[in-house]
Amino acid sequence: MKCKLKKIIYESKDNGFIVCVLTTPDTLNIPESIRINNGLAEFSATGYNIPNSESTLDIDGKWIDTKYGLQLQIESCIESLPTNKDGIIAYLSSDIFTGIGAKTAEIIYNELGDNAIEKIQQDPKCIVGIAGVTEKKAHLYAEKMAESNGIRNLVMFLNKFNISMTRCQSIYKAYGAKSLEILKTNPYNICKVRGFGFLTADDIARKINVSLTSIDRIQACILFILSEISKSGHLFINPNDLAQLSYKYLNNGEDEIISLKTIEKQIKELKRENEVVIEGKSRVYLWQTFKEESESAKKIVRINRQKNVIENIDKKISVIEKDLNIKLDASQKQAIVNCYNFNLSIVTGGPGTGKTTILKVVTKLANDENLLLMAPTGRAARRMSESCGIEASTIHSALGLFGDGNEVPEILNSDFIIIDESSMIDQKLMYLIMESIDISTRILLVGDVDQLPSVGAGNVLRELIKSNLIPTTYLRTIYRQSEESYISLNARLINSGNVKLNYGSDFKFIECNSNTEVLNTIKQTYVDLIKEYSIESVQVLTPSRNKGSVCTDTINEILRREVNPFSEDSPQLKFGNKVFRLGDKVMQTRNKKVSNGEIGFIIEISDSELVVEYSDNRLIDYAKEDLEFLQHAYSTTIHKSQGSEYDVVIIPLLKSNFIMLKRNLLYTAITRGKQKVIIVGDKWAISKAITTNDIGDRNTNLSERIIFENEKISRKYSSYYNNNKQKNSNVQISLH
C-alpha cells in the first residue's frame, strides 16, 4: 500500500531498525481498530532502513498485535520516485548521493525536469557534464539508486532471521539487484556467501516453506560440509563420513526425512555437475580444492626438476662470510648451495638456528638477480626487510590479493623468490603462488616445520618435506640467543618431548589454582610489563579465542578496562557487540587493506569511521562496514601470532584447554617471545601439551601427488629416451 512517513519514533544507528508512524489513504487494507482521520489511516510500523523522506512509500508487511497495539511489521519498502521539483531536489541531495548538494540537485532538475530520477536510472550518461558530474559518478549514482532499494528490501526480508545490515550488504555484494529474488527462489544460495552456513539457509527455507526433501537442500548441505572441513585444515573427507554428517544435518534429530541412499545419490550427482571430485573410495573434494592441490603438485614437480649449477659457489660464500664477518656451519652452507643448485629448496629450523643468517648470505649472492622477498604477514615481511636490507612484501600484496579471495593473482616476473615463515602457507595460497610464477623461477622456502600448521586448509611445508623430493636442510644448532637464554633451550626440550623445562629470568612459570587467579595474574603481570617495555612489545597469547573463561575475548576486555578504560571524554564507535575506543590496540583479521594479523592502535574516531595507525606510521581508514574485520588485540590466539615476534609473551595454560594442549601449540607460543616468556596456569597443562605430539594430521594428499607426478614425468622421459635410443640403434644398423 502507498504510505507517507509522518515521524520516526526510534531509530537504531547500529542496524537501521526503525519504529515510525505512517499514514495511508488506502483505508480498505487497514484493520478496523486503526484510527482514520480525514480519510487517512495513521498507524505504527517497524522495519529496517525506512527512507526518511517525503516521498511516497510502497509498503508491504503483516500486522502484529503488540503491547503497544497493532503494528505493521514492514517486509518490503520501495520508495516511489518523486516527480516534483522539491521532491527531486531533496532526493538527489540526500545521503545516498555523496557529492550532490541542493544547488547541484536543482541544476540537474532544471536540465532534466520532473522525470529526472527515472532518466538517470535508464541512462546515467544523461547527467554527465551537468554541474561537473563525470561519467564515472553518473554510473555510481544510478547504482546507488538501485542498491538503496535493493538492500532495503533484502534487510526487510532477512530481519526476522536475525541477519544484520552488514551481512545483508555481503549478500547484496554477491548477487546484486537480484539478491532478494535469488534467496526467495532458493535460500540455500546464501551458503555461497562468505560468513553464511547451511543452518542459516535452512532456517530461512523452513520459514518460507521450502520442501525439506528438495534437491537444492540436500546438495547445499553436502557442499556446506565440504567447505566446513577446511576450517579444521582438511582438503577432503571420506565419502561415508560425508554422507553420515549430511544425514545428521538434514534430519536434524527428527524422524528420517532424507535417507543415506538419497544423500549418496546426490554426492554422485554433484560429481556429475563438476561441483565435487570423488577420488577412489576414500576422498571427496570440492572441485576447486582438488584443482588447487593437484595443479600445485604438478607445478612443484616441474619447478623442482629444473637444475642449476653455479660456478665457484664455495668461493663466493667465503667472500660473503668475510664481508659479513660471520662463519657458516656445514648445514648452513649446504642450505645455500641447495637453493642455487635446485629451483626449489627448503630450510627449516627453530628460533635462533641461523635462518636469518642464511637469508643475508643468499640475498648477497643474488645481487644481480631479480629477487623477491615475501612473507605471509606484514610483521614477518618487515622483519625480513630489516634483516636483509631489501624491501619485502606480504605474499598477498605481491600477488595483488586484497579482496574476497576470488581474484586472479598477478604474475611474478622474478628470477628468485624467497618466502619466510613458510609453515603458514596453506594449500590455496600455495596454488596461487604456483599460478603466478614460471617454472624457471627459483624458490627458497624458509620456516619452522615444528610450528603450528597454517590456519587455512592443508599442511604445505610438512607435505613438501614428506615427499622426500625437495632438497631440505634442517638447522639444529642455536646461535641467536645467549647461552643464558632459556627460551631456545626450552623450545628444544619441548620439541624432544622433555617435560623438565628450565626456568630463569627470561622464562618464568606462575602457578595458579583457579581461573579467577589466572585472570588476575595476567592482568597484573601485563600492567607491570607494559610499564617496563611498552604496550606494543607485550602480548598475551591464548589457545582459544572464545571458548572457556580464560580466552582471548575475555582477556581482551579485562586488559582494556585496565589500560584503556571508558571515559565520557573519549570517543568510541559501536559495531555489533564490539565497542572500539580511542587508543585501543586492535588487529586486522582478514587480508583487506592490510594483512591478516597486523596490529595497530586507534588514533581517530568519528560517528561512522575510525583510523588505525599500524607500524611504519601507516594510517588506515575504516568505514563502519569494515569493522567486521577488526578485533581487539591486547590478547590474541597463538594461531594468530604465527609470523610475529614480541619482546614479551604471556601464555595462559590450563587444564580447561585440554583439547588444545599440544606440543606444536606450546612450541609456537614460546618461540614468539624474543626476551621473555611467562606461562601462567598449572604444570599439568604444560606437561600435557609437551607429551601430546599430535600434529593434527590433516586430510591432504599433496606429498603423494608430488611423488606421483614426479614418477609420471620420469616414466615419460624414460620412455622417450628408450624410444630414441631404439631409433638411433635402428638407424645405425640400417647404415651398415
Side-chain angles (χ1 to χ4, degrees), residues 28 37 70 77 81 99 109 150 210 274 288 299 306 326 358 435 465 480 490 520 533 538 567 663 674:
L28 293 176
N37 187 21
L70 276 179
C77 175
L81 299 177
Y109 172 80
V210 173
N274 291 324
Q288 181 62 30
K299 193 68 169 283
Q306 308 297 310
I326 59 171
I358 288 173
E435 281 288 286
I465 295 171
R480 188 178 70 196
N490 287 327
N520 287 332
Y533 293 85
V538 182
S567 170
R663 185 182 299 174
K674 293 192 291 182

Side-chain angles (χ1 to χ4, degrees), residues 81-94:
L81 299 177
T83 55
N84 60 64
K85 182 176 181 179
D86 291 343
I88 290 170
I89 292 172
Y91 181 73
L92 291 176
S93 59
S94 68

Side-chain angles (χ1 to χ4, degrees), residues 21 67 72 87 116 120 124 292 348 430 544 558 588 602 685 708:
V21 176
K67 63 181 180 179
L72 183 68
I120 295 169
E292 289 165 359
T348 181
M430 190 63 176
S544 171
I558 290 171
Q588 175 75 14
I602 299 173
F708 173 78

Side-chain angles (χ1 to χ4, degrees), residues 355-619:
K355 296 192 296 291
T356 301
T357 301
I358 288 173
L359 290 180
K360 288 179 181 178
V361 175
V362 170
T363 52
K364 282 273 188 183
L365 280 169
N367 61 350
D368 294 330
E369 295 183 276
N370 184 5
L371 180 64
L372 175 61
L373 305 186
M374 300 194 301
T377 68
R379 279 178 171 262
R382 283 190 297 279
R383 201 166 63 243
M384 227 179 159
S385 298
E386 292 164 3
S387 301
C388 301
I390 298 172
E391 188 66 28
S393 67
T394 64
I395 299 172
H396 283 84
S397 62
L399 297 175
L401 304 174
F402 279 103
D404 58 7
N406 295 317
E407 312 99 316
V408 177
E410 295 179 2
I411 300 299
L412 301 178
N413 295 310
S414 302
D415 301 321
F416 187 15
I417 296 174
I418 303 175
I419 306 177
D420 201 7
E421 298 289 350
S422 297
S423 63
M424 297 178 66
I425 299 174
D426 61 29
Q427 184 57 71
K428 185 177 185 66
L429 189 54
M430 190 63 176
Y431 166 73
L432 293 170
I433 294 169
M434 291 295 107
E435 281 288 286
S436 69
I437 61 175
D438 188 80
I439 62 168
S440 62
T441 306
R442 286 203 336 278
I443 304 172
L444 172 61
L445 299 176
V446 182
D448 186 350
V449 75
D450 293 318
Q451 284 188 31
L452 289 168
S454 58
V455 175
N459 201 347
V460 172
L461 186 62
R462 187 173 290 276
E463 286 289 295
L464 290 174
I465 295 171
K466 183 181 172 183
S467 73
N468 288 319
L469 289 172
I470 316 299
T472 300
T473 305
Y474 294 85
L475 303 178
R476 307 194 188 279
T477 306
I478 295 174
Y479 296 98
R480 188 178 70 196
Q481 291 167 302
S482 66
E483 292 182 4
E484 291 78 29
S485 171
Y486 289 113
I487 298 174
S488 293
L489 172 61
N490 287 327
R492 282 187 295 170
L493 291 173
I494 289 169
N495 253 346
S496 66
N498 193 331
V499 299
K500 295 181 179 179
L501 303 183
N502 294 271
Y503 299 98
S505 59
D506 68 340
F507 196 100
K508 295 182 176 182
F509 170 70
I510 303 174
E511 191 165 12
C512 298
N513 296 316
S514 68
N515 290 351
T516 302
E517 189 180 352
V518 169
L519 292 172
N520 287 332
T521 301
I522 289 172
K523 179 178 70 176
Q524 192 56 56
T525 304
Y526 184 86
V527 170
D528 292 341
L529 285 168
I530 63 173
K531 292 175 183 176
E532 181 181 352
Y533 293 85
S534 70
I535 196 168
E536 296 92 345
S537 303
V538 182
Q539 193 63 43
V540 180
L541 304 178
T542 69
S544 171
R545 186 175 73 84
N546 54 18
K547 293 180 180 177
S549 56
V550 184
C551 62
T552 291
D553 289 352
T554 302
I555 294 172
N556 265 324
E557 192 51 42
I558 290 171
L559 296 183
R560 187 170 74 140
R561 285 201 300 265
E562 209 59 32
V563 301
N564 192 28
F566 170 74
S567 170
E568 293 285 353
D569 301 327
S570 183
Q572 59 183 34
L573 183 60
K574 188 177 180 183
F575 178 79
N577 296 323
K578 296 184 282 189
V579 178
F580 296 101
R581 291 178 194 150
L582 193 67
D584 268 343
K585 186 178 183 180
V586 291
M587 172 185 281
Q588 175 75 14
T589 61
R590 183 177 168 187
N591 287 307
K592 190 175 182 180
K593 291 189 176 183
V594 293
S595 300
N596 187 352
E598 288 277 324
I599 291 177
F601 292 85
I602 299 173
I603 62 169
E604 289 182 27
I605 290 184
S606 68
D607 290 338
S608 59
E609 62 181 14
L610 55 81
V611 179
V612 178
E613 183 176 13
Y614 290 97
S615 55
D616 303 332
N617 300 316
R618 291 172 300 146
L619 303 180

